[in-house]
């Protein structure tokens, strides 16, 4: 590509997208053509069917070969914890909905392979678009990547490979696949921006793990940015500066130096214990969706898994996993995490977590509908199977069970009864399990908060799911961008709810932890400790950040800080006071100048 700079871009032009991977990078742009291939559908004669199916199979095989090469490369580069992403793509290549349906269309509707694949991909995209859970919806991007690769193979178009780039450059593309990201040489590609994408797409997840700063969802990046343009990307804020002036360049260079220093410093905290300055230990655990994430959790120093979201085991297969399949998945997780515990949450589908396999009925208000334990208590066979699998895994290490979306004691007792029944069955069948498996309640509904004192008598531990608790407490749909500004973790109502839960747990002498996103945010860390949380579970990349904060303040001071802010009347006042407190204590962390 020629290095030409468009003259109509003004100095310091700012684009704002989604900060998908933190860090600051400064270099010239390198445009990569990742526009989707246009498929041309045509009718075929019956005699052409076989040739079209073979062409399709050939395209699948080429895609498989490519992905295996990427996998080998990832292995050689020590990226073993990310192999599941490539494996997911290899699995998509075997998926019946994709492969079987495309072949059926070729055969039954006499459509060429390109056209048939295009139709199937459109249908799959529509299914994923209708899912309101962001993480699951973003799996659509995996279908896109794989679909695009097969399509290119079909039409014979070659993709530019990123490892041939002469760096250092900032890649600008419409979209990038996880395979593209794995192949990036960090010395050459110092960051990337894309028109589409989100924080939870696999490309973003990989970029974060690889430490490559990225801004996605810019919409117009490829149409605005020419090749060879000097630019800055700030993956922390989602800001992109085109043609930076000397002054802006210097400011960002300073900001980059500080950011890189703080990140480097974080590594030192990995091996240190998670405790306040005066030695009060806080257990920091990891949230995981799949067992493969345990390796990373261990590396980051997690003392166990505080939330294993089991719903991901139920997606993408042909029907729900069997008891043995679940048992294997739980056992593997438990063994990998030993001697620390793994907290397995029973299935939390329904509401915003749509699992296509279950054909959930259309509900007018799904978030308040048949979800989580309500679903399990209705689909009792599934529930029993899952409980048996979890119990059986408890022989191999420390397992804790927790039930999502409990709204009161009645539901908790019903769940416990199923658990007792499952134990009885296992005893009769002579299958082993631990009699000591602790049973927890997720506190996610306002009713659970109001009866927390009663629930505390029925549970071995509490784990607060703030993602849902805040949504139900403040009556704000967590996935609705129009009311996102009202989603305030520091709302006095939320703080009071959290305090009430901690007090109830303390009175009954049970453990209280948190596994919602709030638990991993450095801004809230001291507030949560002061409230009484002694277990925080989060995305494992945040563990060192929280240690860095808590290790600098003694518990008494943390409590005094809470006293100063907890009775303020509005969310804005609490947030402002908290930010001020944190800024004074940690100017280097909370005082980065916003440019
Ligand atoms: C929560 O609601 O805070 C939680 C951890 O559960 P999920 O995000 O899976 O609903
Ligand atoms: Mg929840």
């Amino acid at each position: 590509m020629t290095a030409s700079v468009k003259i109509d871009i003004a100095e310091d032009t700012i684009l704002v997208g989604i900060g998908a991977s933190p860090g600051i990078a400064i270099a010239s742009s390198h445009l990569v053509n990742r526009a989707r291939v246009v498929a041309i559908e045509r009718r075929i004669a019956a005699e052409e069917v076989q040739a079209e199916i073979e062409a399709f199979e050939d395209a699948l095989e080429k895609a498989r070969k490519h992905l295996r090469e990427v996998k080998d490369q990832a292995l050689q580069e020590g990226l073993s914890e990310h192999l599941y992403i490539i494996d997911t793509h290899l699995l998509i290549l075997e998926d019946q909905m994709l492969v079987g349906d495309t072949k059926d269309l070729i055969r039954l509707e006499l459509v060429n392979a390109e056209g048939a694949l295009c139709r199937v991909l459109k249908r799959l995209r529509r299914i994923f678009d209708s899912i309101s859970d962001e993480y699951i919806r973003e799996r659509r991007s995996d279908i896109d990547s794989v679909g695009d690769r097969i399509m290119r193979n079909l039409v014979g178009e070659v993709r530019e490979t990123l490892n041939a780039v002469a760096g250092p450059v900032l890649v600008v593309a419409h979209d990038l696949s996880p395979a593209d990201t794995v192949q990036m040489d960090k010395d050459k590609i110092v960051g990337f921006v894309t028109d589409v994408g989100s924080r939870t797409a696999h490309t973003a997840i990989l970029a974060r793990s690889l430490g490559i700063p990225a801004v996605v969802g810019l919409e117009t990046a490829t149409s605005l940015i020419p090749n060879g343009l000097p630019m800055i990307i700030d993956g922390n804020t989602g800001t992109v500066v085109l043609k930076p002036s000397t002054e802006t360049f210097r400011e960002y260079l300073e900001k980059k130096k500080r950011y890189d220093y703080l990140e480097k410093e974080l590594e030192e905290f990995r091996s240190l214990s998670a405790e306040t300055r005066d030695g009060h230990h806080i257990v920091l655990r990891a949230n995981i969706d799949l067992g493969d994430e345990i390796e990373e959790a261990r590396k980051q120093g997690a003392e166990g898994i505080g939330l294993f979201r089991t719903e991901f085991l139920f997606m993408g297969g042909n029907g729900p996993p069997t008891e043995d399949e679940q048992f294997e998945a739980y056992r593997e997780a438990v063994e990998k995490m030993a001697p620390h515990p793994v907290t397995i949450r029973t299935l939390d589908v329904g509401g915003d977590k749509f699992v296509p396999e279950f054909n959930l009925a259309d509900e007018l208000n799904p978030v308040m509908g048949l979800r989580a334990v309500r679903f399990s208590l209705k689909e009792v066979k599934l529930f029993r199977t899952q409980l048996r699998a979890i119990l059986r895994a408890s022989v191999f290490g420390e397992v804790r069970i927790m039930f999502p979306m409990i709204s009161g004691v009645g539901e908790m007792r019903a769940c416990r009864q199923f658990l007792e029944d499952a134990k009885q069955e296992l005893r009769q069948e002579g299958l082993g399990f631990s009699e000591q498996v602790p049973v927890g309640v997720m506190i996610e509904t306002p009713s659970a908060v109001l009866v927390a004192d009663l629930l505390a008598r029925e549970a071995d531990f509490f784990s607060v799911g703030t993602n849902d608790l805040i949504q139900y407490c403040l009556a704000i749909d967590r996935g609705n961008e129009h009311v996102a500004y009202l989603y305030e973790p520091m709302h006095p109502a939320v703080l009071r709810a959290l305090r009430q839960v901690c007090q109830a747990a303390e009175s009954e002498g049970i453990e209280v932890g948190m596994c919602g996103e709030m638990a991993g945010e450095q801004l809230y860390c001291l507030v949560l400790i002061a409230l009484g949380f002694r277990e925080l579970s989060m995305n494992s990349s945040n563990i060192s950040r929280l240690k860095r904060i808590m290790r600098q303040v003694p518990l008494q001071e943390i409590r005094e800080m809470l006293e100063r802010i907890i009775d303020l009347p509005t969310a804005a006042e609490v947030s402002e006071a908290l930010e001020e407190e944190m800024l004074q204590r940690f100017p280097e962390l909370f005082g980065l100048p916003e440019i």
Side-chain angles (χ1 to χ4, degrees):
M1 259 188 241
T2 53
S4 67
V5 176
K6 273 188 194 162
I7 40 167
D8 51 348
I9 288 186
E11 228 176 38
D12 285 343
T13 297
I14 301 227
L15 307 179
V16 180
I18 301 162
S21 176
I24 293 161
I26 306 172
S28 293
S29 60
H30 175 88
L31 263 96
V32 173
N33 178 15
R34 286 288 183 267
R36 201 171 278 160
V37 201
V38 182
I40 299 168
E41 181 173 323
R42 70 179 170 82
R43 302 263 314 156
I44 54 171
E47 309 82 77
E48 290 176 87
V49 165
Q50 195 47 34
E52 287 297 313
I53 287 184
E54 277 167 19
F56 178 58
E57 277 173 349
D58 192 38
L60 287 173
E61 187 46 40
K62 279 192 182 134
R64 239 174 251 129
K65 187 165 170 279
H66 168 78
L67 284 171
R68 287 196 197 111
E69 281 164 13
V70 172
K71 196 171 160 180
D72 286 346
Q73 188 182 340
L75 262 174
Q76 275 166 23
E77 288 174 16
L79 296 171
S80 55
E81 72 263 39
H82 303 302
L83 293 184
Y84 77 95
I85 296 177
I86 307 298
D87 283 335
T88 309
H89 285 203
L90 282 163
L91 276 176
I92 294 174
L93 285 174
E94 311 301 329
D95 191 282
Q96 267 315 300
M97 286 233 266
L98 182 77
V99 179
D101 290 6
T102 303
K103 285 185 188 169
D104 283 351
L105 275 178
I106 299 173
R107 221 178 276 127
L108 305 173
E109 302 212 10
L110 299 178
V111 176
N112 64 335
E114 259 173 82
L117 176 63
C118 183
R119 281 204 220 170
V120 169
L121 289 173
K122 264 194 199 146
R123 200 177 62 222
L124 289 172
R125 280 187 203 113
R126 262 203 313 276
I127 295 176
F128 276 85
D129 281 348
S130 66
I131 297 171
S132 59
D133 180 86
E134 194 197 352
Y135 185 89
I136 303 168
R137 191 176 56 237
E138 275 308 322
R139 305 289 61 83
R140 183 199 129 141
S141 59
D142 295 312
I143 304 273
D144 281 342
S145 294
V146 176
D148 185 64
R149 181 156 297 280
I150 309 170
M151 193 67 90
R152 272 175 203 276
N153 292 343
L154 266 177
V155 301
E157 211 181 284
V158 185
R159 272 167 88 97
E160 177 190 355
T161 59
L162 290 179
N163 37 17
V165 168
V169 291
L170 287 167
V171 162
V172 179
H174 176 69
D175 196 7
L176 289 171
S177 69
D180 281 327
T181 315
V182 168
Q183 288 180 302
M184 282 181 185
D185 176 344
K186 263 173 80 176
D187 293 331
K188 291 179 182 168
I189 296 170
V190 294
F192 67 82
V193 301
T194 57
D195 293 336
V196 298
S198 83
R199 266 189 67 75
T200 43
H202 271 144
T203 299
I205 294 173
L206 271 170
R208 284 198 288 279
S209 302
L210 294 167
I212 299 175
V215 176
V216 301
L218 282 163
E219 292 177 11
T220 52
T222 47
S223 53
L224 276 177
I225 305 174
N227 219 18
L229 185 81
M231 57 190 271
I232 297 171
I233 70 170
D234 183 345
N236 308 312
T237 59
T239 311
V240 176
V241 186
L242 306 181
K243 248 169 106 173
S245 61
T246 315
E247 200 186 329
T248 307
F249 177 79
R250 283 214 190 100
E251 272 176 292
Y252 268 97
L253 203 57
E254 189 54 35
K255 208 175 163 187
K256 175 173 164 52
K257 266 202 254 164
R258 249 204 291 173
Y259 179 83
D260 290 348
Y261 170 77
L262 288 171
E263 283 303 294
K264 192 99 201 78
E265 188 193 60
L266 270 186
E267 286 169 20
E268 293 165 22
F269 287 87
R270 279 202 193 152
S271 55
L272 297 180
S273 121
E275 57 185 42
T276 59
R277 203 168 88 197
D278 50 341
H280 292 271
H281 184 58
I282 310 295
V283 180
L284 299 186
R285 296 200 165 122
N287 292 353
I288 59 164
D289 298 332
L290 297 161
D292 312 32
E293 294 166 64
I294 289 186
E295 214 168 309
E296 181 63 15
R298 291 200 75 108
K299 209 165 89 190
Q300 296 289 352
E303 290 184 71
I305 301 302
L307 168 63
F308 184 168
R309 288 184 164 102
T310 56
E311 40 283 7
F312 291 88
L313 291 174
F314 289 71
M315 290 171 202
N318 296 322
T322 62
E323 179 180 319
D324 281 346
E325 283 165 344
Q326 287 189 61
F327 162 66
E328 283 304 330
Y330 304 145
R331 186 180 67 119
E332 198 187 326
V334 169
E335 282 180 342
K336 277 193 193 161
M337 200 63 238
H340 300 297
V342 175
T343 314
I344 304 178
R345 175 175 76 179
T346 59
L347 188 61
D348 183 7
V349 287
D352 58 348
K353 291 200 194 92
F354 177 87
V355 177
E357 279 76 6
F358 287 134
N359 288 323
L360 297 168
D362 273 347
E363 291 181 292
L364 207 54
N365 201 346
V367 177
M368 298 211 185
L370 189 66
R371 59 168 296 200
V373 284
R374 302 168 187 186
F375 178 83
S376 294
L377 289 169
K378 182 163 176 281
E379 299 294 331
V380 295
K381 250 177 84 183
L382 274 177
F383 196 28
R384 197 168 288 132
T385 305
Q386 182 170 36
L387 292 172
R388 285 173 55 103
I390 299 173
L391 283 169
R392 285 173 57 199
S394 69
V395 175
F396 299 87
E398 201 180 329
V399 169
R400 311 194 309 165
I401 296 184
M402 71 182 177
F403 299 116
M405 277 277 292
I406 290 283
S407 61
V409 171
E411 253 170 354
M412 180 58 179
R413 285 189 182 157
C415 291
R416 269 208 182 262
Q417 188 56 53
F418 271 95
L419 189 63
E420 286 313 312
D421 293 347
K423 285 183 181 175
Q424 190 53 27
E425 280 175 19
L426 294 179
R427 274 186 212 108
Q428 280 164 359
E429 293 165 34
L431 290 168
F433 63 92
S434 159
E435 294 281 354
Q436 316 303 334
V437 175
V439 184
V441 170
M442 276 193 81
I443 304 285
E444 303 190 274
T445 62
S447 60
V449 174
L450 291 169
V451 297
D453 55 333
L454 304 176
L455 280 169
R457 292 180 206 150
E458 314 265 336
D460 300 313
F461 66 95
F462 280 165
S463 183
V464 181
T466 43
N467 306 341
D468 276 315
L469 182 61
I470 297 173
Q471 110 165 318
Y472 294 123
C473 199
L474 303 180
I476 296 154
D477 178 351
R478 71 194 241 193
N480 181 339
E481 69 273 23
H482 302 297
V483 288
Y485 72 100
L486 289 171
Y487 193 91
E488 292 166 316
M490 285 295 106
H491 193 292
V494 176
L495 284 175
R496 286 174 187 210
L498 297 180
R499 185 166 55 181
Q500 192 170 331
V501 172
C502 288
Q503 283 169 349
E506 198 188 336
S507 302
E508 286 301 322
I510 64 166
E511 283 174 37
V512 58
M514 178 181 283
C515 62
E517 288 304 302
M518 189 178 175
E521 298 215 14
Q522 27 181 25
L523 181 62
Y524 305 132
C525 166
L526 299 184
V527 171
L528 300 181
I529 294 173
L531 282 166
F533 288 96
R534 290 295 173 268
E535 183 214 312
L536 300 172
S537 190
M538 66 204 72
N539 182 321
S540 59
S541 62
N542 287 329
I543 289 178
S544 296
R545 287 177 217 284
L546 260 61
K547 284 186 193 170
R548 174 165 63 190
I549 302 246
M550 68 178 70
R551 289 182 61 89
Q552 297 186 47
V553 198
L555 188 58
Q556 186 52 29
E557 274 182 41
I558 296 177
R559 288 189 174 134
E560 285 161 11
M561 188 193 90
L562 181 69
E563 288 310 310
R564 287 191 290 277
I565 65 170
I566 194 155
D567 289 323
L568 293 170
T570 64
E573 284 164 277
V574 179
S575 292
E576 200 182 313
L578 174 62
E579 278 162 25
E580 189 52 42
E581 293 267 357
M582 297 302 270
L583 179 65
Q584 274 185 17
R585 284 182 189 281
F586 306 98
E588 73 289 4
L589 294 179
F590 295 95
L592 287 180
E594 283 311 320
I595 300 172

